[in-house]
Amino acid sequence: RKFSEEMRQRAKRMVREAREQEPGLSVNEACKRIGGQLGIVPDTLRGWCKQADIDDGLRPGTTTAESEELKRLRRENAELRRANEILKTASAFFAAAELDRHTR
């Protein structure tokens, strides 16, 4: 199910606060506790927290912004490849037509 951005932010903030208040509390335990309170599957919440840590520079990985940019560039690259193939096909067609015109 979809959760609002506000709910995601609240849940991530609650996990961080719980871990600050209890230094020995693991991410897993915090996600189980907070997830249970908010009706969010702990694995889902753990993924959000992991990505938030990456986005905040607290752990290595691909940030959300970088991931979105990669997706955009991949789509653009695929579109350019398709356009290039169309141009190659058209060029070959017109070259063959021109050659045929000159041999008659």
Side-chain angles (χ1 to χ4, degrees):
R1 88 180 193 207
K2 283 280 194 181
F3 291 94
S4 69
E5 186 59 31
E6 181 180 319
M7 176 63 115
R8 288 175 180 227
Q9 294 298 329
R10 177 177 174 219
K12 291 185 288 188
R13 185 178 60 251
M14 289 176 71
V15 168
R16 279 193 179 165
E17 288 172 357
R19 295 194 68 218
E20 287 171 5
Q21 291 171 0
E22 293 180 52
L25 186 65
S26 71
V27 174
N28 290 340
E29 285 302 315
C31 288
K32 285 179 187 175
R33 184 185 306 167
I34 304 303
Q37 292 173 3
L38 300 177
I40 301 170
V41 175
D43 285 339
T44 299
L45 182 52
R46 192 171 19 263
W48 295 347
C49 291
K50 178 182 176 185
Q51 189 61 52
D53 286 349
I54 291 169
D55 290 347
D56 293 342
L58 301 175
R59 70 186 308 171
T62 303
T63 66
T64 301
E66 290 169 335
S67 181
E68 289 170 2
E69 178 71 1
L70 280 172
K71 287 178 192 174
R72 185 188 68 76
L73 290 171
R74 285 183 177 131
R75 279 192 307 270
E76 185 178 321
N77 196 15
E79 187 178 316
L80 290 170
R81 286 179 193 268
R82 282 189 298 274
N84 204 18
E85 284 303 313
I86 290 168
L87 290 172
K88 283 181 185 178
T89 303
S91 177
F93 173 79
F94 288 119
E98 186 67 21
L99 183 64
D100 190 44
R101 190 174 70 93
H102 284 302
T103 58
R104 287 184 184 189

